[in-house]
Amino acid sequence: EVQLLESGGGLVQPGGSLRLSCAASGFTFSTYAMTWVRQAPGKGLEWVSVISGSDGYTFYADSVKGRFTISRDNSQNMLYLQMNSLRAEDTAVYYCAKGPRSGWYPYSFDSWGQGSLVAVSS
Amino acid sequence: QSALTQPPSASGSPGQSVTISCTGTSSDVGGYNYVSWYQQHPGKAPKVMIYEVTKRPSGVPDRFSGSKSGNTASLTVSGLQAEDEADYYCSSYAGSNNVVFGGGTKLTVL
């Protein structure tokens, strides 16, 4: 059974930093592209970033480019999102998600974590 | 990237069918066959119901179906059941390794 478990969320001041983690199990982690999606309170879903399985290719939404960094440790089956220069508008539940196919498949997501809440406020 | 356009709400009685639309542009919905639909119950993570416009993951009832015409994709839920009441989001590949979501539709089962 595929499991994705996020951690690392919390309250941070504007301008601060936070690192989210996503522990994956139940599938061959290194062969899947992995994605972060966020959802502001009471709002819709927003795609944040994607990383390839083993080539290290990364892509970001314009809203986080230059401030967030996605990375992974395939030896530990872990996905990360380093968030710097946080703003109030980054307040959201952050989900990690995988696609239904191995290889480069960033187009849809068949498994999601339970989410980790990041609140940016002074 | 602009969000895809969905109606904020939709409703139907048990047993009826309801269709939710998702309108984009030729740069996203109209340009790729990578439209997905997600169901989200309050406080829960999204669940994929349809991917690649028409494909249904195992375990998703065949009451859920997807289609696309031009720049508009649609999700149809047939034989509405109480447990179908949820928020539904469409998404589409938008090129340059980006994905764009719709604003969401709240489906009410009357």
Side-chain angles (χ1 to χ4, degrees), chain B residues 38-98:
Chain B
Y38 300 90
Q39 176 192 68
Q40 187 179 37
H41 288 106
K44 301 295 187 181
K47 172 187 176 183
V48 66
M49 306 304 282
I50 297 288
Y51 68 104
E52 293 179 12
V53 181
T54 61
K55 296 179 180 178
R56 204 171 39 249
S58 60
V60 173
D62 60 6
R63 303 184 293 103
F64 291 84
S65 62
S67 63
K68 189 183 83 167
S69 177
N71 297 336
T72 298
S74 298
L75 172 72
T76 297
V77 186
S78 306
L80 269 175
Q81 298 183 5
E83 60 262 35
D84 299 333
E85 184 163 296
D87 293 327
Y88 291 83
Y89 295 92
C90 64
S91 74
S92 175
Y93 182 61
S96 301
N97 298 296
N98 288 326

